[in-house]
Amino acid sequence: MNKLPQISEAEFEVMKIIWSHAPINTNEITKHLLQTTNWSPKTIQTLIKRLVTKDALAYEKQGRVFVYTPLVNENEYIGQESHSFLNRFYHGDLTAMVSSYIENDKLSDAEIEQLRSLLSQKSKKGNR
């Protein structure tokens, strides 16, 4: 896997909008983010520029607006960040992480049941 760019939490919020709506122009990105953040349009434009500089976004000028598309795959990025989190806090031990979440009541009953279901499905696939 290629090394993906480091994306800050604020930049990640921008990326989530772009991943969901690409191709998307600056005005549309701003409109979405003004609904969920208290950022100014200038701040949003700065975050977009940073993502372009980091090669996380590509853009094309269409008339008077810039239209953005992601250069970073959402699933790859989230996978990289999850792996990094797991290594940093749990030394790569997924069982330790899940145990910690369970022991500290960070998982709801519904989430535990969903994990059981996923593990059961995986187990059935492995036995074929």
Side-chain angles (χ1 to χ4, degrees):
M1 173 186 348
N2 291 339
K3 181 85 169 122
L4 301 174
Q6 288 288 328
I7 296 174
S8 71
E9 286 185 43
E11 292 164 346
F12 184 70
E13 291 303 312
V14 175
M15 288 301 296
K16 288 193 303 190
I17 299 299
I18 295 168
W19 282 321
S20 295
H21 302 285
I24 184 170
N25 70 45
T26 309
N27 294 335
E28 292 167 330
I29 296 168
T30 301
K31 181 179 140 194
H32 283 286
L33 288 168
L34 289 176
Q35 294 173 6
T36 59
T37 69
N38 60 358
W39 300 337
S40 73
K42 183 91 171 137
T43 298
I44 294 167
Q45 288 179 353
T46 298
L47 292 168
I48 293 168
K49 286 177 188 173
R50 286 183 190 166
L51 288 164
V52 168
T53 300
K54 292 179 178 186
D55 291 327
L57 294 178
Y59 68 91
E60 178 181 311
K61 190 168 184 179
Q62 294 181 357
R64 297 179 145 203
V65 297
F66 290 94
V67 177
Y68 296 89
T69 55
L71 293 175
V72 172
N73 178 281
E74 181 178 14
N75 290 333
E76 281 183 36
Y77 182 78
I78 291 171
Q80 173 184 282
E81 290 302 300
S82 298
H83 185 74
S84 177
F85 174 84
L86 183 63
N87 283 333
R88 182 173 176 198
F89 294 103
Y90 297 97
H91 308 292
D93 187 345
L94 181 60
T95 302
M97 183 184 82
V98 173
S99 295
S100 173
Y101 274 74
I102 292 169
E103 290 167 10
N104 293 304
D105 295 324
K106 301 240 188 238
L107 294 177
S108 68
D109 289 342
E111 289 169 324
I112 292 170
E113 193 52 44
Q114 187 176 14
L115 285 171
R116 277 192 185 111
S117 176
L118 289 169
L119 291 169
S120 176
Q121 289 172 10
K122 182 65 176 170
S123 178
K124 288 176 186 173
K125 286 181 184 177
N127 291 336
R128 290 183 186 170

